[in-house]
Structures are given as structure tokens and as C-alpha cells.
Amino acid sequence: MVRPQTYACRSSHALIRHPANPLANPAVQHRRRHFDGLFFDEFESASAWIRETGRLRLPPLSTRHVVIHAEYCPHPDAHGLEAGAPGIDVRVDGRPAAAARPAAPGPFTLEFNLPTADSAHRYTISLHLRGVVLTNLLAWLGRVTGFGPSQRFRTQNRNRQLRIHRVEADGEILFDFSNRHSPYSTAFARRQLKLGLNIAGYLTADLGIGESARCMVRAADAANLPSALIDLKLPVKNRRGDQAYASRLQTENPHEVNVIHLDPPGARDIDHHHGAAFRAGKYNIGYWAWELPEFPDAWTPYFDYYDEIWCPSDFVREAVAMKSPVPVITMPHAIAFPRPEEPVADLRARFGLPADRFLFLFIYDLNSYSARKNPQATIEAFRTSGLAGRGAALVIKTHSAKGNEEEIAALRADVADLPGTVLITDTLDRADLYRLEAACDCFVSLHRSEGFGLAIAECMYLGKPVIATDWSATAEYLDAHNGCPVRARAVTLDRNVGPYAKGQTWAEPDIHHAGEWMQRLFDDTGLRDRLGAAARATMEERFSPDVIGGRYRRRLEAIAIR
């Protein structure tokens, strides 16, 4: 549909024969994804012109009615073959939508409705000039051959007379070519978005990477982001006993974005267990954790399965990004859960803990490599603190006892000389794990490296003082203001430990410094209270589901309007 409007051409602007094109600037090259084939000059600076065919790429829209505001603006140097306005044909995804050939100078519009499509469809509008074949050919001859009579056609003055000012969808501006540096309206596109994500992970498994996926569900819910929850079918050693989201599990992944919580090598098995269609046509994000400063070269092929990687900490992001051909972004875990309300005495009785002792707690998964989790350091620090005979005791909770019987036996031997030590090897559900954390006075983690440190963050959320190695991801949120950072020195691995290769670097915590922290917390109630309150505030302010979910939303918006 073509509607004439009041003539408003500003033809007095001077012509620059060889105008600079802002899109040639590398800083704005990325904007080509929204439009191409439209160019700017100083003849009519508040609009763009088309050499032959221009393309506009629309984001997924809930609106359907589109109006292109154009103008026939006679050029003072257009005469002979270049005189008169070219015609314009509009196509949507290759189908005719509108056409015009203005007979008189002035503005006009092209109006049409987009064809019905699913909500995720991205339309392409093509703007094709008619009546410019001969003058374009002569322009090409002038540029390529230097043929004298063709030189005057090189500036394509006939084409420049048909100007595109803006594109509207349901009355809102989607492209405004008066803003030549940023014609695309991301604000409009953002308002049109229907965001959502498919969260795939070990959502029922009792292990850290399973809790990683459950943390994401909490954050997505807090941000009101629709999510489809898919329990990964890939095999896992740990018990699948967490039923927190059992009622929401499904096999379909209807949203445009998949976020897959899986160790990098597991990527090769996704299609086998979930079918090739699971990843096909989606924007696939791998949620990866890694615990050392250098990402393994052997894992770089697994980037091919994803469009982007999310990581729980800057420490992980820096390691992964150094080897990654795709974007790598920090998306921390959301830390929030119902705090246990039972009296501490009842909680201690529930787990058979001594009622009258100051309890230092350490939790780790035997499948996460004891050499990295470093339980011996916690045991030795407690031993050197001298608190075992002064009213304090050590509580050690392990996961995955089955299959790791030798490590459990060695652990019992290590604590045999520490009276009152409690070793818990039973598998606990999340609610009981939080009760155990709440029942103890202080959490200790003298790890050699962490990709995030879920148990540390959980205990901080519960208002507990935490003693932790001052290195890797935990150093990003635990410091002397809200916890007890333990000095550490960098050491080089002298052997392979699971995926951690010889020659890599991790930390060796100072056992005596950790023991000193234990003594200070045991003796100073005020210190315990101050650190616990600050720790809780850190988690609530920086890692709440609202905060982390807001990060998801902003990133999904950026992906969707790309």
C-alpha cells in the first residue's frame, strides 16, 4: 500500500562525491547483521539510500503491521538517464509485500502486514530498486574500466534520490536512518522479545553440577523467565534423589536457548541421549566449571557443540576464554534456599553431633578428587589449632562413599587422634544438607582450587563464618571483611590428578594460618557474629536469584536481538 505525503525534501545539502560509509568502520561492522545494502551520504543526511538491494533483518516480533517511510528527493546532479525516481519493490522472506514508483518529489510510505509465523521467526525485508539496471551498469564500468563517459555515473545519483527514513512496526520505530551510527532500535526489539530458556542438567542428581542447574532454575524463576527443565539422560555416578523440580521436568525444549549444565567432554553424548534435534536450530550455551588457571587443550573440541559458554566465576571464565572461539560469560550461581528454623540443639541431635562443642564443618564429594578438595589440610589445621581438647570438634561430611571405600577408611584413620570428630558418609537431601550446615559454627575449606565453592557460599548465606583458601573462585567473594581468607602459595602439580594435568598450577594453603583463624573464631564471639553477618549480606546482595536472574535476562535479550 502506497500513501503520498507532504513534500519535505532537503535537496540543498551538498553532495560529497565519495562519501565515507560509517559501516566500513570496524567498530560498527557488527551492525550489518540488522541491515545491509543501505548507505549514508551528505546529500540527505537524515536517511539512507540503496545501491540495488537493501535488506532489513527483524527480530522476532509480536507485531505484524509494518510501515516504511521513504522519500523521492531529486538530486541536483541527476540528469539524462539518471533523472526521475527509481521504483522500489518490497519483499518479506522473498514474497512480494509492497511496491511504489513515486511520480512527484516528496515523502511516501509502503505499508504491509507480515505473514503469520511462529513467535521465534525472524523476518527479512528486501528493498529492491527498479529502473536502475542501466545506470548501475554504467557506474560499474566507470569504476572497473575507467571508461570516460561512464565516470559521471559512479556516484549513482539516480539511486540516491530514493531515500529510506525509517521503518515502523505498529507505530513504533524499528529502524531510524537519521541516526546513521545506530539506526536499529534495540529498545523496541527488546520490548518485543519473548524470552525463555531450556535448562538441561542433572536436575535430580545429588552432586554439585546438579545443584548448579537447580540454582539456575531459582534465578530464572526470580526473573520471571519462562523455563523448560530437562533432566539429562546421560549417566551419572551420584544418586538421582533430588525431587525439588520433579513436577516440572519435561523432555521437550521449546525455547530458543538451551543452557546445558555438563562437563565439557559430555557434549559428545548429548545428541546420542537426547537426539540431534535437541540442539538443532537452538542457541546452545554450555555451563562449564573448571578449577585451574589453564583450560585443557584436550577439551577444546567441545566448543564446537556450543554457541556460547557460561561460567560460575571470573576465575573459570578467564581460563576458558583463553582457549575459546565463542563468547564466554560469567554467570554466578544463585544462592538462596529456606533457612532451617529448628533450634540448633535439635539440628545437632538429628545428626548425632555433640551438643556442647564448637563445630568446624567440612563437606566434599569424593568424586570431585580429594587431592583438590584437600580434606587432610582441614584435619591438620584443626590438629595444629589445639582446639580438640578445648571444647571444639571437627565434622566431616562426604558424598559418594560407595566406590570410594579406601578413601573413607584413610579418612577415619586420619582423624582417629582427634576426639569428638564426626564423620558423616550418608547421602543427604538438600534440606538436610542445609540443616547440617546450620547446625555447625564454622565452615572450613582449605581447597587447592574451586570453580565456585557452593558449600562455602551456602554457609555464608546461613550467616556462618567461613575459613577458606584465598585463591581461585572463592577469593572473588570471600575476603577479610566477610570471612577468614587463608594465605596460600602457588604450586605446580607433579603428577596427573584426574583431569588436572602435571605441570598445571593450584594453591597450597597455609595450615598454620588456618589454625590461627580457628583459634580466633573459637575465642571471639564478636568476630564470629560480625563475619557471619557480613557473609550473609554478601550472598544476599550479590548472589540472590533476583540479581543473577537479571543477568540472565540481559544476556538473553542481547542474544535475541543480535
Side-chain angles (χ1 to χ4, degrees):
M1 180 178 180
V2 181
R3 291 181 180 173
Q5 292 184 349
T6 304
Y7 175 68
C9 179
R10 294 178 295 279
S11 59
S12 61
H13 291 182
L15 170 66
I16 296 179
R17 293 289 180 178
H18 302 286
N21 178 9
L23 292 180
N25 183 340
V28 294
Q29 282 283 343
H30 66 282
R31 295 191 181 100
R32 286 187 182 275
R33 61 177 176 254
H34 298 306
F35 66 94
D36 57 41
L38 288 93
F39 301 89
F40 300 93
D41 59 21
E42 297 306 318
F43 164 57
E44 222 301 324
S45 60
S47 59
W49 63 282
I50 304 165
R51 283 183 176 168
E52 185 171 357
T53 299
R55 291 180 179 83
L56 307 172
R57 296 177 181 89
L58 276 56
L61 298 174
S62 59
T63 183
R64 289 289 178 262
H65 187 64
V66 175
V67 181
I68 298 174
H69 292 265
E71 185 176 2
Y72 166 29
C73 191
H75 196 287
D77 293 338
H79 51 84
L81 292 175
E82 293 185 310
I88 183 170
D89 290 333
V90 179
R91 291 177 172 266
V92 177
D93 294 342
R95 301 174 184 175
R101 184 154 195 170
F108 63 93
T109 61
L110 298 111
E111 299 189 35
F112 53 93
N113 290 321
L114 299 173
T116 301
D118 66 73
S119 60
H121 183 71
R122 297 172 182 269
Y123 297 95
T124 297
I125 297 176
S126 299
L127 309 174
H128 184 75
L129 293 188
R130 291 186 285 112
V132 295
V133 173
L134 179 56
T135 52
N136 280 354
L137 175 61
L138 292 171
W140 177 80
L141 286 172
R143 286 192 296 270
V144 174
T145 69
F147 180 57
S150 297
Q151 291 300 301
R152 76 176 185 87
F153 294 97
R154 289 182 61 177
T155 53
Q156 296 181 272
N157 291 331
R158 180 170 174 80
N159 306 50
R160 292 173 190 264
Q161 297 177 113
L162 198 148
R163 316 296 301 192
I164 305 297
H165 287 286
R166 64 187 185 277
V167 179
E168 297 178 352
D170 278 2
E172 292 195 69
I173 296 176
L174 185 52
F175 291 89
D176 180 1
F177 291 101
S178 68
N179 181 357
R180 62 173 60 190
H181 295 289
S182 185
Y184 180 67
S185 174
T186 54
F188 172 76
R190 188 175 289 114
R191 289 194 296 273
Q192 296 290 316
L193 295 177
K194 293 184 177 180
L195 300 177
L197 68 166
N198 309 305
I199 302 174
Y202 294 111
L203 283 157
T204 60
D206 296 309
L207 78 166
I209 200 169
E211 186 60 18
S212 167
R214 292 187 287 269
C215 287
M216 179 163 283
V217 176
R218 290 194 283 270
D221 288 351
N224 294 315
L225 286 171
S227 59
L229 311 189
I230 299 97
D231 200 22
L232 285 176
K233 299 176 183 177
L234 285 73
V236 63
K237 291 181 180 179
N238 296 56
R239 184 187 73 166
R240 290 182 181 263
D242 195 303
Q243 301 300 305
Y245 296 108
S247 64
R248 293 174 57 182
L249 297 179
Q250 60 185 77
T251 57
E252 298 79 17
N253 57 333
H255 303 294
E256 281 195 274
V257 176
N258 291 329
V259 184
I260 303 172
H261 293 250
L262 186 65
D263 290 336
R268 61 194 171 201
D269 297 322
I270 296 171
D271 292 355
H272 173 72
H273 289 279
H274 289 268
F278 188 83
R279 290 188 307 113
K282 304 291 185 181
Y283 191 88
N284 294 290
I285 298 173
Y287 196 98
W288 290 357
W290 173 245
E291 293 83 12
L292 299 185
E294 184 172 349
F295 189 74
D297 287 337
W299 286 5
T300 56
Y302 306 122
F303 287 114
D304 293 345
Y305 292 83
Y306 300 103
D307 301 288
E308 182 167 310
I309 305 300
W310 287 0
C311 301
S313 65
D314 290 338
F315 178 81
V316 180
R317 178 187 55 77
E318 290 172 7
V320 175
M322 193 63 68
K323 303 283 182 74
S324 176
V326 301
V328 183
I329 296 175
T330 302
M331 289 291 182
H333 296 310
I335 306 300
F337 49 85
R339 294 182 175 95
E341 296 180 354
E342 301 98 317
V344 171
D346 292 348
L347 293 174
R348 291 190 171 192
R350 184 185 188 95
F351 300 107
L353 305 178
D356 57 350
R357 296 198 183 189
F358 187 97
L359 299 181
F360 293 96
L361 173 67
F362 176 53
I363 299 173
Y364 75 110
D365 188 336
L366 291 161
N367 288 335
S368 292
Y369 302 99
S370 294
R372 178 175 68 82
K373 291 293 188 177
N374 205 13
Q376 287 73 26
T378 298
I379 294 168
E380 188 59 28
F382 183 66
R383 183 178 285 116
T384 62
S385 74
L387 295 175
R390 292 180 53 201
L394 194 59
V395 179
I396 300 177
K397 166 70 180 76
T398 64
H399 301 314
S400 309
K402 186 177 181 181
N404 293 291
E405 288 79 9
E406 289 186 9
E407 283 197 62
I408 292 292
L411 193 59
R412 292 188 188 280
D414 284 344
V415 299
D417 65 328
L418 296 174
T421 299
V422 179
L423 181 59
I424 302 173
T425 61
D426 296 337
T427 298
L428 303 181
D429 61 27
R430 294 304 300 181
D432 270 347
L433 197 60
Y434 301 145
R435 290 187 180 100
L436 177 62
E437 291 168 345
C440 297
D441 298 287
C442 172
F443 188 80
V444 185
S445 176
L446 301 183
H447 59 80
R448 291 190 167 100
S449 189
E450 284 285 6
F452 182 78
L454 269 171
I456 292 172
E458 289 166 358
C459 288
M460 291 177 70
Y461 179 75
L462 290 170
K464 303 293 179 179
V466 174
I467 300 170
T469 307
D470 191 22
W471 195 75
S472 66
T474 58
E476 294 174 21
Y477 57 82
L478 186 147
D479 54 31
H481 166 71
N482 61 15
C484 308
V486 174
R487 292 188 298 265
R489 60 185 177 87
V491 298
T492 301
L493 278 71
D494 59 4
R495 59 188 175 88
N496 293 336
V497 180
Y500 313 118
K502 179 181 178 180
Q504 283 260 31
T505 301
W506 60 18
E508 193 63 52
D510 185 329
I511 302 300
H512 293 286
H513 190 211
E516 291 170 4
W517 272 122
M518 290 180 174
Q519 292 170 353
R520 289 183 62 188
L521 291 175
F522 178 79
D523 292 330
D524 193 336
T525 302
L527 177 64
R528 295 199 303 267
D529 291 344
R530 287 195 302 275
L531 293 179
R536 176 170 173 163
T538 296
M539 291 297 114
E540 292 176 341
E541 292 167 7
R542 293 177 50 192
F543 298 94
S544 73
D546 284 338
V547 170
I548 304 304
R551 293 174 71 120
Y552 297 168
R553 176 174 289 278
R554 291 190 295 275
R555 183 57 190 161
L556 291 177
E557 288 174 350
I559 292 169
I561 62 178
R562 70 193 187 279

